[in-house]
Amino acid sequence: MFKTSLKTELGIYALQENGFHGDQVRVVPLDAAVKATPRVIDTMYKSDGLSLFDGMTMSATIGMLLGVIFGSVVYIGPVALGIIGFLLGAGIGYLIDKKLGQNVRHNDCGPSGEIIISVACASEIEQERAEAILREYQAVALGAFPPQRS
């Protein structure tokens, strides 16, 4: 598995130079994964780590607290100003989380590649040679099946 780069093309060329031709080398580009859209509320079992609920909760609590504290001075009262502060804080928190969520990139576990290169080998010697070439050109992940005996 490779990331898209010049090293990928050089690795394929090196394989072809070392006797892997035609159907022996197959290149499969992977489609980009569907990007997860942030959800306002995540469930316990289906979380993508991009929840917008945390920032909303924090800023709504701060807005409500400030509204209740300073509401005793204002004519409409602490309860009404607390509700207004809660709604304004939730809206501001949603906008901040949405803006920051666009810039944050979440790491996925496991190797992340964009191209899979499959090399059919007839013997273990060919398999080791192909693995050495792919390692030389910075493969993200390698896997091997035992060679097929006919």
Side-chain angles (χ1 to χ4, degrees), residues 38-76:
R39 298 174 55 183
V40 175
I41 300 174
D42 282 341
T43 63
M44 181 193 300
Y45 301 107
K46 195 173 183 181
S47 176
D48 57 359
L50 300 172
S51 176
L52 299 176
F53 192 65
D54 301 333
M56 286 176 60
T57 304
M58 182 180 65
S59 60
T61 303
I62 293 170
M64 179 182 64
L65 181 66
L66 292 175
V68 169
I69 289 172
F70 296 112
S72 59
V73 181
V74 182
Y75 173 72
I76 59 174

Side-chain angles (χ1 to χ4, degrees), residues 52 92-104:
L52 299 176
I92 291 170
Y94 175 77
L95 294 175
I96 290 172
D97 265 357
K98 193 163 177 115
K99 184 67 176 170
L100 290 178
Q102 292 172 353
N103 299 333
V104 174

Side-chain angles (χ1 to χ4, degrees), residues 82-94:
I83 292 172
I84 292 170
F86 176 82
L87 295 174
L88 284 174
I92 291 170
Y94 175 77

Side-chain angles (χ1 to χ4, degrees), residues 3 9 20 30 37 45 55 61 67-68 73-74 77 109 112 128 134:
K3 291 189 178 200
E9 293 180 33
F20 297 99
L30 299 176
T37 56
Y45 301 107
T61 303
V68 169
V73 181
V74 182
C109 13
S112 61
E128 290 172 4
L134 294 175

Side-chain angles (χ1 to χ4, degrees), residues 114-135:
E114 299 170 353
I115 296 176
I116 295 177
I117 297 177
S118 172
V119 182
C121 301
S123 67
E124 289 186 29
I125 296 170
E126 281 187 0
Q127 181 178 336
E128 290 172 4
R129 192 172 61 195
E131 284 182 9
I133 292 169
L134 294 175
R135 275 196 184 94

